[in-house]
């Protein structure tokens, strides 16, 4: 299947949602891997992201990031398993830095959205999911970069059918990730484009011209 980008992405993240699992015993990469796999399964089942690429960032104890990363490719239709992913992360460690530790797992891949006619369209990147493994806990972050989840497009024009066809899918995925991980979701900070709420993007009434905020200037 050839996937072409049809949607206009934002320059940065439109909205994000976070899950923090505290780890009193210190860094827990196994928990980070488990979190990544659980999120990938939910997003894959919802057709929001079929993981094809996993980027691993590395650091050294007491010295911070080493400035190098590694990449793990997942074939189309491939299923992530925690044990296998943990092994592949270990195998991808930079050889010049045998003391380095994986501290970030960033997953991307194609996802499907529904247009105004109800047709399914695929984008190379619709959402992404990152897991940060730190001494205090493991944080999972779901991010979106398009306007299809909002009532308004980036120009401030309402697109109710686009919203109706896609926002409930995102809400359901956030709820299922929440249930799978077992930690309540926290909406991220408001951005230039949108303000996230627990299971989606906050709605604001239109102005006197029937439009929302025009964020097209950042396109």
């Amino acid at each position: 299947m050839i996937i072409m980008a049809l949607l206009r992405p934002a320059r940065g993240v439109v909205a994000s949602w976070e899950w923090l699992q505290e780890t009193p015993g210190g860094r827990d990469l196994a928990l980070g891997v488990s979190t990544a796999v659980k999120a990938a399964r939910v997003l894959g089942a919802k057709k929001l992201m079929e993981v094809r690429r996993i980027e691993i960032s590395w650091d050294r104890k007491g010295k911070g990031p080493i400035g190098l990363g590694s990449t793990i490719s997942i074939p189309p239709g491939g299923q992530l398993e925690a044990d296998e992913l943990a092994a592949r992360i270990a195998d991808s460690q930079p050889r010049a830095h045998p003391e380095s530790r994986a501290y970030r797992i960033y997953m991307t891949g194609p996802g499907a959205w529904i247009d105004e006619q109800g047709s399914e369209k695929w984008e190379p990147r619709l959402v992404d999911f990152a897991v940060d493994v730190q001494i205090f806990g493991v944080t999972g972050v779901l991010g979106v970069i398009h306007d299809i989840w909002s009532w308004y497009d980036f120009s401030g024009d309402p697109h109710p059918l686009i919203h109706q066809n896609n926002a409930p899918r995102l809400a359901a995925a956030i709820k299922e990730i929440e249930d799978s991980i077992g930690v309540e979701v926290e909406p991220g900070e408001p951005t230039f484009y949108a303000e996230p709420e627990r299971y989606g993007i906050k709605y604001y009434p239109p102005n006197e011209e029937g439009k929302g905020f025009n964020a097209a200037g950042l396109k």
Side-chain angles (χ1 to χ4, degrees):
M1 177 174 61
I2 299 176
I3 299 174
M4 300 179 60
L6 299 175
L7 297 174
R8 296 186 306 166
R11 287 189 177 180
V13 173
V14 168
S16 64
W17 296 264
E18 303 178 3
W19 293 263
L20 171 61
Q21 301 168 86
E22 296 181 353
T23 53
R27 289 171 65 131
D28 190 340
L29 180 59
L31 179 61
V33 170
S34 173
T35 299
V37 169
K38 289 176 180 178
R41 287 175 178 169
V42 171
L43 296 171
K46 298 294 182 185
K47 294 186 178 181
L48 295 179
M49 180 176 68
E50 292 187 357
V51 178
R52 300 280 179 83
R53 180 183 176 93
I54 303 176
E55 299 174 11
I56 310 298
S57 299
W58 301 84
D59 68 5
R60 287 188 295 178
K61 185 176 182 179
K63 295 185 178 181
I66 66 173
L68 294 175
S70 53
T71 302
I72 297 170
S73 296
I74 307 297
Q79 296 296 318
L80 288 179
E81 298 294 340
D83 290 345
E84 180 184 357
L85 179 56
R88 294 190 67 179
I89 290 174
D91 289 343
S92 74
Q93 181 189 53
R95 293 183 180 180
H97 299 272
E99 76 286 2
S100 61
R101 310 172 301 177
Y103 75 90
R104 192 165 198 261
I105 304 168
Y106 175 71
M107 304 186 296
T108 60
W113 62 285
I114 311 299
D115 68 13
E116 291 180 317
Q117 288 72 43
S119 298
E120 185 178 273
K121 308 288 186 181
W122 284 80
E123 287 284 315
R125 174 188 168 202
L126 196 63
V127 308
D128 55 30
F129 197 90
V131 178
D132 287 307
V133 180
Q134 301 295 339
I135 191 170
F136 59 84
V138 170
T139 304
V141 181
L142 172 66
V144 299
I145 60 170
H146 299 102
D147 58 13
I148 60 173
W149 322 106
S150 303
W151 186 258
Y152 307 100
D153 65 18
F154 286 139
S155 297
D157 294 317
H159 55 183
L161 288 179
I162 293 289
H163 177 267
Q164 176 184 317
N165 289 341
N166 294 283
R169 300 171 59 229
L170 176 64
I174 294 171
K175 180 66 169 63
E176 287 192 28
I177 294 173
E178 183 178 63
D179 292 342
S180 179
I181 294 176
V183 174
E184 186 172 303
V185 65
E186 289 289 339
E189 294 295 322
T191 70
F192 186 85
Y193 301 97
E195 179 178 354
E197 53 186 10
R198 186 171 182 182
Y199 297 128
I201 291 178
K202 189 171 183 178
Y203 168 79
Y204 285 99
N207 60 23
E208 63 277 5
E209 297 177 350
K211 301 188 64 171
F213 177 69
N214 185 352
L218 280 187
K219 299 308 301 163

